[in-house]
Amino acid sequence: MSMIVAERLTKQFPGESRMAVAQVSFQVEPGELVVLLGPSGCGKTTLLKLVNRLYEPSAGTLLIEGVDVRSMPATALRRRIGYAIQQTGLFPHLRIEQNIAVVPRLLGWERQRIEARIDELLDLVGLPRSYRRRYPRQLSGGEQQRIGLARALAADPAIMLMDEPFGALDALTRTRLQDELLAIQRQLRKTILFVTHDVEEALRLADRIIVMREGRIVQFDTPLNLLTRPHDAFVRQLTGADDLLRHLSLMTVAMALTPGTPPASIANLPPLAPQDDLRTALVRLLATKAEGLPVGSNGQAQGWLSLAVLRQMLGEI
Amino acid sequence: MRYLIANWPYVGELFLEHLWLTLSALLIATAIALPVGVILSRVAWLRTPVLGILGIIYTIPSLSLLVLLIPFLRLGYRPALVTLIAYAQLVLVRSVVVGINGIEPAIIEAAKGMGMNSWQRLLRVELPLALPVMIAGLRVATLSTIAIATVAAFVNAGGLGTLLFDGVRSSNSEKIIAGAISVSLLAVAANILFRRAEIWATRSRGPT
């Protein structure tokens, strides 16, 4: 069963002629990380807030695990859904441990279970347990955002909603947190809806991307398909589908591999790994001035990457 | 000074009367202002008319309000109490509204998004975060209440104002000085107390 099913979901704010979200239908499968991508005002955040009923839809239905969200109280629904936002929304008057424990307390967990969960979550997001007694403002922006993530995960919800959680961070911290989110996601397999206007972030994180414009879904597809088969000029421009380097960064060496023994002239060059992205591979190729590079993992040769093959692939895109 | 030293039991009695009038007025005023402020912070369209009415009350000179109430409440403690409560409302209600509505919207959104109901949000998030602003409002209200309470002696409500009015009537500058010093002492002490409370309320979010 799909985790989230939206059917002709519509939101029109009072006094506005344009619909913020217009008859949107989509399905998200369990364990998927789906990014809502689009320019500001496209309705992506509104759509996100329709899921946990911070906004009520004007029309249409939303099912979570087959159940209409309006059949249960909004507060009960929200306690089942993790929620992380850009400004973190951490409670400044509560210690880190109290911030993380908010939803478990609302759910009436036993004290011991909550205490154990706080330690577990601090380990998961890579912060020392000694942070428990600190207050949010004693932490850096990146650390606060990690606590925001831990707090959203606290009651182990099946669904997580994330509204530009890394938007206010510097580029370095953002990349590190994206990596950690992916690592956590590989471990926990949550169903995640992630809002961003940052195309790089979307391409990096998403299993699938919903591209939105003026309240409608323009395309719902995998990152690679968005680049190689953009639905229209808007998607092409938004994702930079004409940007060959961006294409390469989303493809792996394994996709362009020539099997067999590499030519003797390049056999002794440092090898590429099959999971390296092609952009990195191209940079290495150009730097070594060789016609190709051997590919292998753990000293085991798997074939080689030829510059000629790569050039041919680029011509086809 | 000589009057103060010679008559300290009498001045002490007036001091306690003054303190009692101030405290009881503030207690009742806060009990009214807190729920009113919370309602105004939630119901936007009520805000302007209610604060407007409280503003008008605030502009009535205290002496005339006291005198106006005499036909209904007679002389003494009661008209003074009502006057002081009415004057404190504007400052107290506004500090509750500003305190709650000044909270960063992301914090309120997070509280809602995590599934707190309206009461849980109020008690666990909004009131604790509004506390420093509310204490600041209470401090201002306390100081003005102490000051206005001196006028209450005019309607036989007692307190340190008695010394001032008697002193003026009998051209006794010693009495006036004794009254003025005592009132100032009370005001300064209250100010220091509330400043401490404000700092405590802000600090309870961890050292910066």
Side-chain angles (χ1 to χ4, degrees), chain A residues 16-234:
Chain A
E16 280 182 31
S17 56
R18 204 168 61 83
M19 282 181 277
V21 171
Q23 305 205 335
V24 161
S25 303
F26 63 90
Q27 295 188 9
V28 177
E29 304 310 318
E32 252 192 318
L33 198 167
V34 171
V35 167
L36 305 177
L37 176 68
S40 8
C42 72
K44 54 191 192 298
T45 295
T46 308
L47 180 56
L48 193 78
K49 289 181 179 177
L50 286 170
V51 177
N52 66 356
R53 288 179 61 192
L54 284 175
Y55 294 147
E56 299 289 355
S58 316
T61 54
L62 188 94
L63 309 177
I64 288 180
E65 291 180 291
V67 181
D68 192 325
V69 293
R70 274 171 298 179
S71 67
M72 64 183 104
T75 50
L77 173 77
R78 290 171 193 156
R79 289 169 197 176
R80 288 180 43 195
I81 299 177
Y83 190 50
I85 56 178
Q86 180 178 340
Q87 309 84 339
T88 74
L90 293 181
F91 301 129
H93 61 300
L94 298 182
R95 295 177 191 277
I96 297 306
E97 56 186 4
Q98 295 168 311
N99 264 289
I100 294 176
V102 167
V103 181
R105 288 231 170 97
L106 289 173
L107 291 169
W109 285 19
E110 279 173 34
R111 186 167 189 84
Q112 277 178 321
R113 189 176 169 205
I114 294 177
E115 294 301 313
R117 185 67 181 152
I118 293 167
D119 286 337
E120 195 183 341
L121 285 161
L122 284 172
D123 294 347
L124 184 73
V125 299
L127 290 176
R129 293 182 181 185
S130 59
Y131 275 25
R132 287 181 62 129
R133 306 285 294 161
R134 296 202 184 184
Y135 285 93
R137 70 174 177 194
Q138 295 171 280
L139 272 55
S140 72
E143 289 171 334
Q144 287 183 19
Q145 204 47 260
R146 282 167 206 247
I147 298 298
L149 183 61
R151 187 174 67 170
L153 285 165
D156 203 17
I159 297 174
M160 297 270 288
L161 307 178
M162 308 183 78
D163 192 356
E164 306 212 22
F166 310 142
L169 304 174
D170 65 88
L172 204 67
T173 311
R174 189 185 315 148
T175 312
R176 197 182 305 144
L177 277 168
Q178 287 167 353
D179 286 340
E180 282 175 27
L181 176 64
L182 286 174
I184 290 171
Q185 173 63 354
R186 272 193 294 275
Q187 204 180 328
L188 302 179
R189 284 273 145 221
K190 301 290 181 191
T191 306
I192 301 179
L193 287 183
F194 188 108
V195 165
T196 186
H197 62 264
D198 179 350
V199 179
E200 301 289 340
E201 184 166 70
L203 295 174
R204 241 171 101 80
L205 295 177
D207 294 317
R208 290 196 291 163
I209 297 175
I210 292 178
V211 179
M212 291 188 69
R213 183 192 191 187
E214 292 173 358
R216 292 172 195 281
I217 293 180
V218 184
Q219 190 170 359
F220 185 13
D221 222 327
T222 62
L224 194 61
N225 277 345
L226 280 182
L227 285 173
T228 53
R229 284 189 277 276
H231 177 262
D232 59 12
F234 173 75

